[in-house]
Structure formats: C-alpha cells, structure tokens
Amino acid sequence: MPGKFRSYGQLDDPIAEDGDLGFLGIDQFSDPTTLKPGFLQNAENVRIETGQVATRKGLKHYPLSEPGALSMGRFSDPAGEDYVAIVFPTKVLFWSTSVLREVALPVTIASHENPRVLQLFGKVVIFRAGQRPLEFDGDFAVAAPAFTAKSTSSPGAGLIACPNAGFGVYFRNRLIVPNPDDSPTTIILSDIFDDNTFLRTDGEFFLNKGTSDETRAIIPYLEDQLLCMNRRSIHILNNLTNPTSANTYEITRQFGIIGPEAWAQSGAYTYF
C-alpha cells in the first residue's frame, strides 16, 4: 500500500533521504566532498536543462566524397539556410542538411596557410597566413559563384586595404585583424560596415611593438572591448565605437595564448 512504511516509531531509525532535488551546473574547482547541493564534479555526454540531467544527443556522420578538407566555419545565409563552409584546396563546399553547394577558389590553398573562415556583412572571408584574404558575397544564384581576392587598392589618405592577416574577428560592425605588414604585434580596425577600408591613422594599435611577442588571438569582450592575446602577454582595447579615443592597457606578461582558436567563452568567463 502506498505510504504504508512512511512513518516510524521511537525505536526505528528515521528515513535518510539522499540525492539532489535538481541540478544547477558543474563545479570542477571545489573538492568533491564540499560540493554544494545541485552541482556535479564531472558529467559526460549529458546536458543540464531545467534542473534535470538529460542525455546529450549524439553526432550524425555525413560522409563527403571529397577528401582533403583544410578548414571549416559556419555561414548563416540571410535567406534562412545554415551552412557549414568546408574549405578544400581549390573550392569551398557549403553544406546544409538540405543542400550542398560548391564555390570555386581563384587560387590553390596550401595546408600550411592554415585557412580560417569568417562571416561578416553577409559575406564569407577566408584568411590565410601571409596571403591575400579571399571573399565570397554569399550569392549562390549566379551562374558560377566564386571567391575573389580582396582588393589591394588604397581607400584614401590615412586608410589602407585589408592587410594579409592570418585571422580576424567581426565585432561592433567592424573587422579587426592583425597587421603583419607593420609589426607582429599590431592590430587594426576597419571602418564601420566596410571590411576593406582600415583606419591606419585612428584605428591602428600596438601591443608590445618592437618585440617578438606576436599577437595570436583577438577576443570580443563585454560590450565594447577586445582582449588582445599575444604569445607572452595579454592586453585589453576599449572603446571600439570611437577609435579616436580608444586605448590599450596591458593586463599581464605572465600568460599568453598559442593560437587564434585556443580560447572559449562561457558567460562572463574567457578560458584559454
């Protein structure tokens, strides 16, 4: 009968209930014996959703007939289709669950160029170490869609075209890239909504210039700041909205980063 043994007498031991009423998250910093209720020390192949631990959905394998992929990134088509852009030496395949599209490259990309894919302003840009960035306008409706090299024409006094950067980030409606033509520790900002007009006079910043402390990652931070991660130091750049009044500050020379993708963000925390 339900509830038959829920009560106990004077000589009986009371029922000791164990376990958590719900799950809040993971705490890998505290000792397992001091975990607060609702926290896990470790969890594998699960998600914590609405206080419950749910099995994480597995991966689905979609084989491609073309070997030799060099890199990949996401392209969210304004028309509503989400693609994975897969870079091969002579072309880029845009794959979604409903369609596979092929876009030609104007040059052959070598593996040592470490191509990286970035979406901005409705375009797809491929950065390559020491080489001209390639761009695609996202229009699959043309007869032969293709990437083209970014123009090298000077936009005007105090401005330059996009440098031959190995990576970049899109933040606050600007493209931010290293400027290896100046130094290994220089970064530069584009004009708003213009990814090939860079502000040499007002938007170029130097992080330990004159050293080999190469800038290896640029990370968006809070509302209007960037974390600039060098090989052996970390800097912060503020006020991207108005580069003429922006400043850089050194945070530490005790830590650095190994590469452009060796970081992740979760809430207010940046891990590297």
Side-chain angles (χ1 to χ4, degrees):
M1 295 175 58
K4 180 178 179 180
F5 299 105
R6 292 186 63 84
S7 61
Y8 55 91
Q10 294 182 353
L11 301 179
D12 297 320
D13 293 329
I15 298 173
E17 295 186 359
D18 192 14
D20 295 297
L21 298 178
F23 296 98
L24 303 176
I26 296 176
D27 180 1
Q28 294 184 325
F29 296 98
S30 303
D31 186 270
T33 60
T34 62
L35 283 179
K36 296 180 181 179
F39 284 88
L40 303 170
Q41 177 74 18
N42 186 45
E44 296 183 3
N45 295 324
V46 296
R47 295 181 186 274
I48 299 175
E49 300 174 348
T50 62
Q52 297 181 342
V53 175
T55 302
R56 183 179 66 84
K57 294 181 180 179
L59 303 176
K60 190 171 184 179
H61 180 235
Y62 289 92
L64 293 173
S65 58
E66 180 97 9
L70 302 175
S71 178
M72 65 177 59
R74 181 187 175 193
F75 175 54
S76 181
D77 191 340
E81 193 79 45
D82 257 351
Y83 295 93
V84 176
I86 309 170
V87 181
F88 293 89
T90 60
K91 62 186 176 184
V92 178
L93 295 182
F94 287 82
W95 175 89
S96 75
T97 55
S98 60
V99 67
L100 180 65
R101 303 182 186 276
E102 181 178 318
V103 180
L105 291 171
V107 294
T108 298
I109 297 179
S111 59
H112 70 266
E113 294 174 2
N114 295 321
R116 291 182 172 89
V117 179
L118 177 69
Q119 178 180 355
L120 71 160
F121 311 129
K123 298 191 239 182
V124 179
V125 177
I126 299 177
F127 292 98
R128 303 173 295 150
Q131 303 295 327
R132 200 78 197 117
L134 307 175
E135 64 181 9
F136 168 57
D137 62 8
D139 186 3
F140 296 107
V142 298
F147 278 81
T148 57
K150 276 187 170 295
S151 172
T152 58
S153 300
S154 174
L159 306 170
I160 62 171
C162 182
N164 295 341
F167 67 94
V169 297
Y170 173 48
F171 185 56
R172 299 292 288 172
N173 296 317
R174 299 181 188 273
L175 175 60
I176 305 104
V177 300
N179 185 11
D181 296 333
D182 181 80
S183 82
T185 62
T186 302
I187 66 170
I188 191 167
L189 314 181
S190 79
D191 202 357
I192 292 180
F193 295 117
D194 189 340
D195 60 310
N196 207 31
T197 299
F198 282 75
L199 310 174
R200 186 69 185 269
T201 302
D202 299 323
E204 193 169 41
F205 301 91
F206 313 102
L207 315 168
N208 279 355
K209 187 172 181 178
T211 71
S212 62
D213 190 20
E214 180 185 17
T215 300
R216 293 188 171 182
I218 303 171
I219 306 173
Y221 182 64
L222 299 180
E223 294 87 357
D224 201 26
Q225 302 177 91
L226 289 173
L227 288 175
C228 305
M229 313 287 284
N230 285 10
R231 182 185 177 193
R232 296 190 181 94
S233 63
I234 300 174
H235 307 256
I236 191 167
L237 169 64
N238 65 10
N239 200 9
L240 267 69
T241 302
N242 186 11
T244 57
S245 59
N247 289 289
T248 60
Y249 302 92
E250 183 178 290
I251 297 175
T252 181
R253 294 192 183 190
Q254 295 179 323
F255 300 98
I257 200 167
I258 193 170
E261 298 164 354
W263 60 272
Q265 287 179 321
S266 177
Y269 296 95
T270 299
Y271 301 90
F272 62 95

